[in-house]
Amino acid sequence: MSEASQNQNIIHRGEPSRTAQYVATLRAVHALLDDPIVLDDPVALPLLGAETAAALKEDPFGCNDPMARSLRAGLVARSRVAEDELARRVDAGLRQYVLLGAGLDTFSARNTHAAQGLRVFEVDHASTQRWKREALQAAGLDVGDTAFVSVDFERDDLLQALRGAGLRTDLPVLFAWLGVTMYLTPDAVLKTLAAVGTLPPGSGIVFDYRLPPEQLNPVERVLLDVVAQQIAALGEPWLSSFDPATLKRQLLELGYTHIDDVGSDELNRRYFFRRKDGLQTRNGVRIMCAGR
Protein backbone atom coordinates (compact mmCIF):
# COMPACT_ATOMS: atom_id res chain seq x y z
CA MET A 1 0.00 0.00 0.00
CA SER A 2 3.03 2.28 0.32
CA GLU A 3 3.16 3.66 -3.22
CA ALA A 4 -0.61 3.98 -3.35
CA SER A 5 -0.64 5.73 0.01
CA GLN A 6 1.78 8.30 -1.33
CA ASN A 7 -0.74 9.00 -4.06
CA GLN A 8 -3.07 10.41 -1.42
CA ASN A 9 -1.24 13.72 -1.69
CA ILE A 10 -3.41 14.51 -4.71
CA ILE A 11 -6.50 14.38 -2.49
CA HIS A 12 -7.44 17.54 -0.67
CA ARG A 13 -7.65 17.10 3.06
CA GLY A 14 -11.31 17.38 4.06
CA GLU A 15 -13.78 16.11 6.56
CA PRO A 16 -13.87 12.43 5.52
CA SER A 17 -11.19 10.16 6.93
CA ARG A 18 -8.13 9.55 4.78
CA THR A 19 -9.11 5.90 4.50
CA ALA A 20 -12.57 6.86 3.18
CA GLN A 21 -10.93 9.07 0.56
CA TYR A 22 -8.49 6.34 -0.37
CA VAL A 23 -11.33 3.82 -0.79
CA ALA A 24 -13.11 6.25 -3.13
CA THR A 25 -9.86 6.72 -5.03
CA LEU A 26 -9.43 2.98 -5.57
CA ARG A 27 -13.04 2.68 -6.76
CA ALA A 28 -12.36 5.45 -9.27
CA VAL A 29 -9.11 3.81 -10.42
CA HIS A 30 -11.01 0.56 -11.01
CA ALA A 31 -12.92 2.27 -13.82
CA LEU A 32 -9.72 3.78 -15.25
CA LEU A 33 -7.47 0.70 -15.25
CA ASP A 34 -9.40 -2.55 -14.93
CA ASP A 35 -11.09 -4.52 -17.70
CA PRO A 36 -13.66 -5.95 -17.38
CA ILE A 37 -15.32 -3.76 -14.75
CA VAL A 38 -16.64 -5.58 -11.69
CA LEU A 39 -18.43 -2.56 -10.19
CA ASP A 40 -19.83 0.01 -12.61
CA ASP A 41 -19.32 3.22 -10.62
CA PRO A 42 -19.06 6.34 -12.79
CA VAL A 43 -19.69 8.54 -9.74
CA ALA A 44 -16.55 7.76 -7.71
CA LEU A 45 -14.25 9.90 -9.87
CA PRO A 46 -16.31 13.15 -10.00
CA LEU A 47 -17.12 12.83 -6.29
CA LEU A 48 -13.41 13.32 -5.52
CA GLY A 49 -13.46 16.76 -7.13
CA ALA A 50 -12.29 18.15 -10.47
CA GLU A 51 -8.62 18.55 -9.53
CA THR A 52 -8.25 15.07 -8.06
CA ALA A 53 -10.21 13.52 -10.92
CA ALA A 54 -7.94 15.19 -13.47
CA ALA A 55 -4.82 13.98 -11.64
CA LEU A 56 -6.09 10.41 -11.48
CA LYS A 57 -7.02 10.41 -15.15
CA GLU A 58 -3.56 11.64 -16.04
CA ASP A 59 -1.80 9.01 -13.92
CA PRO A 60 -3.91 6.29 -12.26
CA PHE A 61 -0.90 3.97 -11.98
CA GLY A 62 0.13 5.46 -8.62
CA CYS A 63 -2.62 3.24 -7.23
CA ASN A 64 -1.57 0.11 -9.07
CA ASP A 65 1.18 -1.50 -7.01
CA PRO A 66 0.44 -5.14 -6.04
CA MET A 67 -1.00 -4.28 -2.64
CA ALA A 68 -3.24 -1.55 -4.03
CA ARG A 69 -4.48 -3.94 -6.72
CA SER A 70 -5.48 -6.54 -4.13
CA LEU A 71 -7.19 -3.90 -2.00
CA ARG A 72 -8.97 -2.48 -5.05
CA ALA A 73 -10.26 -5.91 -5.99
CA GLY A 74 -11.54 -6.47 -2.48
CA LEU A 75 -13.27 -3.10 -2.35
CA VAL A 76 -15.16 -3.48 -5.62
CA ALA A 77 -16.00 -7.11 -4.84
CA ARG A 78 -17.55 -6.28 -1.48
CA SER A 79 -19.72 -3.60 -3.07
CA ARG A 80 -20.79 -6.03 -5.79
CA VAL A 81 -21.80 -8.60 -3.16
CA ALA A 82 -23.94 -5.99 -1.39
CA GLU A 83 -25.49 -4.62 -4.56
CA ASP A 84 -26.16 -8.08 -6.00
CA GLU A 85 -27.93 -8.97 -2.74
CA LEU A 86 -29.86 -5.71 -2.92
CA ALA A 87 -31.02 -6.42 -6.47
CA ARG A 88 -32.24 -9.85 -5.44
CA ARG A 89 -34.19 -8.45 -2.51
CA VAL A 90 -35.66 -5.54 -4.48
CA ASP A 91 -37.04 -8.09 -6.94
CA ALA A 92 -38.65 -9.77 -3.92
CA GLY A 93 -40.29 -6.50 -2.82
CA LEU A 94 -37.77 -4.80 -0.52
CA ARG A 95 -37.84 -0.99 -0.73
CA GLN A 96 -35.47 0.23 2.04
CA TYR A 97 -31.67 0.20 1.90
CA VAL A 98 -29.36 1.50 4.63
CA LEU A 99 -25.66 2.21 4.12
CA LEU A 100 -24.00 2.03 7.53
CA GLY A 101 -20.77 4.01 7.76
CA ALA A 102 -21.49 5.14 4.22
CA GLY A 103 -18.33 7.23 3.86
CA LEU A 104 -17.93 8.16 0.19
CA ASP A 105 -19.99 5.25 -1.13
CA THR A 106 -21.75 6.40 -4.30
CA PHE A 107 -24.82 4.17 -4.49
CA SER A 108 -27.21 7.01 -3.61
CA ALA A 109 -26.11 8.91 -6.72
CA ARG A 110 -26.52 5.88 -8.99
CA ASN A 111 -29.55 4.20 -7.40
CA THR A 112 -30.42 1.62 -10.05
CA HIS A 113 -33.68 0.79 -8.25
CA ALA A 114 -35.06 4.31 -7.84
CA ALA A 115 -37.84 3.64 -10.36
CA GLN A 116 -38.97 0.74 -8.18
CA GLY A 117 -39.27 3.03 -5.17
CA LEU A 118 -36.10 2.06 -3.28
CA ARG A 119 -35.44 4.54 -0.46
CA VAL A 120 -31.79 4.93 0.60
CA PHE A 121 -30.55 5.95 4.05
CA GLU A 122 -26.90 6.87 4.66
CA VAL A 123 -25.52 6.61 8.19
CA ASP A 124 -22.23 8.28 9.13
CA HIS A 125 -20.66 11.10 11.09
CA ALA A 126 -22.21 14.49 10.40
CA SER A 127 -18.90 16.04 9.29
CA THR A 128 -18.37 13.34 6.63
CA GLN A 129 -21.94 13.78 5.41
CA ARG A 130 -21.56 17.55 5.08
CA TRP A 131 -18.39 17.17 2.99
CA LYS A 132 -19.96 14.50 0.84
CA ARG A 133 -23.17 16.43 0.15
CA GLU A 134 -21.17 19.50 -0.82
CA ALA A 135 -18.98 17.39 -3.12
CA LEU A 136 -22.03 15.76 -4.71
CA GLN A 137 -23.60 19.16 -5.30
CA ALA A 138 -20.39 20.57 -6.77
CA ALA A 139 -20.22 17.62 -9.17
CA GLY A 140 -23.87 18.03 -10.16
CA LEU A 141 -24.80 14.60 -8.78
CA ASP A 142 -28.35 13.95 -7.58
CA VAL A 143 -29.11 11.61 -4.67
CA GLY A 144 -32.90 11.93 -4.84
CA ASP A 145 -34.63 11.62 -1.48
CA THR A 146 -31.71 9.90 0.26
CA ALA A 147 -31.84 10.45 4.02
CA PHE A 148 -28.58 11.32 5.77
CA VAL A 149 -28.50 10.13 9.37
CA SER A 150 -25.76 10.91 11.90
CA VAL A 151 -24.99 7.99 14.25
CA ASP A 152 -22.14 6.94 16.54
CA PHE A 153 -22.14 3.12 16.50
CA GLU A 154 -20.46 2.93 19.89
CA ARG A 155 -23.08 5.06 21.69
CA ASP A 156 -26.25 5.80 19.72
CA ASP A 157 -29.47 3.84 19.22
CA LEU A 158 -29.26 3.01 15.51
CA LEU A 159 -32.88 2.09 14.88
CA GLN A 160 -34.20 5.07 16.81
CA ALA A 161 -32.10 7.41 14.69
CA LEU A 162 -33.25 5.73 11.48
CA ARG A 163 -36.90 5.82 12.49
CA GLY A 164 -36.50 9.54 13.10
CA ALA A 165 -35.31 9.87 9.49
CA GLY A 166 -38.31 7.98 8.11
CA LEU A 167 -37.24 4.33 8.10
CA ARG A 168 -40.18 1.92 8.44
CA THR A 169 -39.00 -0.69 10.93
CA ASP A 170 -42.22 -2.64 10.43
CA LEU A 171 -41.09 -3.38 6.86
CA PRO A 172 -38.03 -5.29 5.56
CA VAL A 173 -34.73 -3.43 5.37
CA LEU A 174 -31.37 -4.38 3.88
CA PHE A 175 -28.23 -2.93 5.47
CA ALA A 176 -24.78 -2.68 3.86
CA TRP A 177 -21.97 -2.24 6.38
CA LEU A 178 -18.71 -2.26 4.47
CA GLY A 179 -15.26 -1.34 5.72
CA VAL A 180 -16.51 -0.45 9.20
CA THR A 181 -16.57 -3.35 11.66
CA MET A 182 -12.80 -3.58 12.02
CA TYR A 183 -12.73 0.01 13.34
CA LEU A 184 -15.27 -0.77 16.08
CA THR A 185 -15.09 -2.76 19.28
CA PRO A 186 -16.58 -6.28 19.14
CA ASP A 187 -19.36 -5.18 21.50
CA ALA A 188 -20.37 -2.33 19.20
CA VAL A 189 -20.41 -4.67 16.19
CA LEU A 190 -22.63 -7.19 17.96
CA LYS A 191 -24.90 -4.42 19.24
CA THR A 192 -25.57 -3.28 15.68
CA LEU A 193 -26.09 -6.83 14.43
CA ALA A 194 -28.53 -7.42 17.29
CA ALA A 195 -30.53 -4.32 16.34
CA VAL A 196 -30.82 -5.42 12.71
CA GLY A 197 -31.82 -8.88 13.94
CA THR A 198 -35.00 -7.43 15.48
CA LEU A 199 -36.37 -6.30 12.11
CA PRO A 200 -39.10 -8.12 10.17
CA PRO A 201 -38.51 -11.25 8.05
CA GLY A 202 -37.04 -10.29 4.71
CA SER A 203 -34.53 -7.97 6.36
CA GLY A 204 -30.80 -8.57 6.29
CA ILE A 205 -27.29 -7.18 6.44
CA VAL A 206 -24.17 -7.48 4.29
CA PHE A 207 -20.97 -6.69 6.16
CA ASP A 208 -17.29 -7.44 6.01
CA TYR A 209 -15.07 -8.37 8.91
CA ARG A 210 -11.42 -9.07 9.60
CA LEU A 211 -10.19 -12.56 10.35
CA PRO A 212 -7.89 -13.16 13.36
CA PRO A 213 -4.24 -13.19 12.20
CA GLU A 214 -3.79 -16.86 13.13
CA GLN A 215 -6.45 -17.83 10.57
CA LEU A 216 -4.72 -16.12 7.65
CA ASN A 217 -2.39 -17.74 5.17
CA PRO A 218 1.15 -16.28 5.07
CA VAL A 219 0.45 -13.94 2.14
CA GLU A 220 -2.77 -12.59 3.64
CA ARG A 221 -1.09 -12.15 7.02
CA VAL A 222 1.71 -10.04 5.58
CA LEU A 223 -0.64 -7.91 3.48
CA LEU A 224 -3.08 -7.31 6.30
CA ASP A 225 -0.33 -6.52 8.77
CA VAL A 226 1.13 -3.85 6.49
CA VAL A 227 -2.29 -2.31 5.89
CA ALA A 228 -3.12 -2.39 9.60
CA GLN A 229 0.13 -0.59 10.47
CA GLN A 230 -0.41 2.12 7.87
CA ILE A 231 -4.02 2.69 8.91
CA ALA A 232 -3.05 2.86 12.57
CA ALA A 233 -0.45 5.48 11.65
CA LEU A 234 -3.29 7.58 10.26
CA GLY A 235 -5.01 7.46 13.64
CA GLU A 236 -7.64 4.91 12.58
CA PRO A 237 -6.58 1.62 14.21
CA TRP A 238 -8.43 -1.63 13.72
CA LEU A 239 -10.14 -2.78 16.92
CA SER A 240 -11.85 -6.08 16.13
CA SER A 241 -11.60 -9.38 14.32
CA PHE A 242 -13.94 -12.38 14.35
CA ASP A 243 -13.70 -16.12 14.07
CA PRO A 244 -16.18 -17.14 11.30
CA ALA A 245 -17.67 -20.12 13.16
CA THR A 246 -18.18 -18.11 16.35
CA LEU A 247 -19.66 -15.18 14.44
CA LYS A 248 -22.09 -17.45 12.59
CA ARG A 249 -23.25 -18.95 15.89
CA GLN A 250 -23.76 -15.48 17.35
CA LEU A 251 -25.82 -14.42 14.32
CA LEU A 252 -28.06 -17.47 14.66
CA GLU A 253 -28.56 -16.63 18.33
CA LEU A 254 -29.55 -13.09 17.30
CA GLY A 255 -32.35 -14.41 15.11
CA TYR A 256 -30.76 -14.60 11.67
CA THR A 257 -31.80 -17.64 9.68
CA HIS A 258 -29.85 -17.38 6.39
CA ILE A 259 -26.08 -16.85 6.52
CA ASP A 260 -23.61 -16.82 3.62
CA ASP A 261 -19.96 -16.26 4.54
CA VAL A 262 -17.67 -15.46 1.60
CA GLY A 263 -13.88 -15.32 1.53
CA SER A 264 -11.25 -14.37 -1.02
CA ASP A 265 -11.33 -17.68 -2.90
CA GLU A 266 -15.07 -17.44 -3.54
CA LEU A 267 -14.87 -13.73 -4.44
CA ASN A 268 -12.15 -14.50 -6.97
CA ARG A 269 -14.28 -17.27 -8.49
CA ARG A 270 -17.30 -14.98 -8.74
CA TYR A 271 -15.76 -11.78 -10.00
CA PHE A 272 -12.13 -12.28 -11.07
CA PHE A 273 -12.08 -15.65 -12.80
CA ARG A 274 -9.67 -15.95 -15.75
CA ARG A 275 -9.09 -12.24 -16.13
CA LYS A 276 -6.38 -11.14 -18.54
CA ASP A 277 -5.18 -8.50 -16.07
CA GLY A 278 -4.88 -11.04 -13.24
CA LEU A 279 -6.82 -8.83 -10.79
CA GLN A 280 -7.63 -10.75 -7.58
CA THR A 281 -8.20 -10.09 -3.90
CA ARG A 282 -6.14 -11.58 -1.07
CA ASN A 283 -6.83 -9.36 1.91
CA GLY A 284 -7.84 -11.55 4.87
CA VAL A 285 -11.30 -9.98 5.05
CA ARG A 286 -14.53 -11.96 4.67
CA ILE A 287 -18.02 -10.84 3.70
CA MET A 288 -21.10 -12.03 5.56
CA CYS A 289 -24.63 -11.92 4.17
CA ALA A 290 -27.06 -12.56 7.04
CA GLY A 291 -30.81 -12.56 6.54
CA ARG A 292 -34.02 -12.86 8.50
Side-chain angles (χ1 to χ4, degrees), residues 97-149:
Y97 187 45
V98 179
L99 294 162
L100 296 176
L104 302 186
D105 188 284
T106 62
F107 181 81
S108 294
R110 51 184 179 83
N111 182 354
T112 51
H113 308 290
Q116 294 161 281
L118 181 69
R119 180 85 191 278
V120 181
F121 298 78
E122 290 202 10
V123 175
D124 212 324
H125 294 294
S127 59
T128 297
Q129 292 176 332
R130 280 194 302 271
W131 188 98
K132 182 176 182 178
R133 296 177 79 169
E134 290 172 1
L136 287 165
Q137 184 176 15
L141 298 168
D142 181 23
V143 295
D145 64 347
T146 296
F148 292 86
V149 187

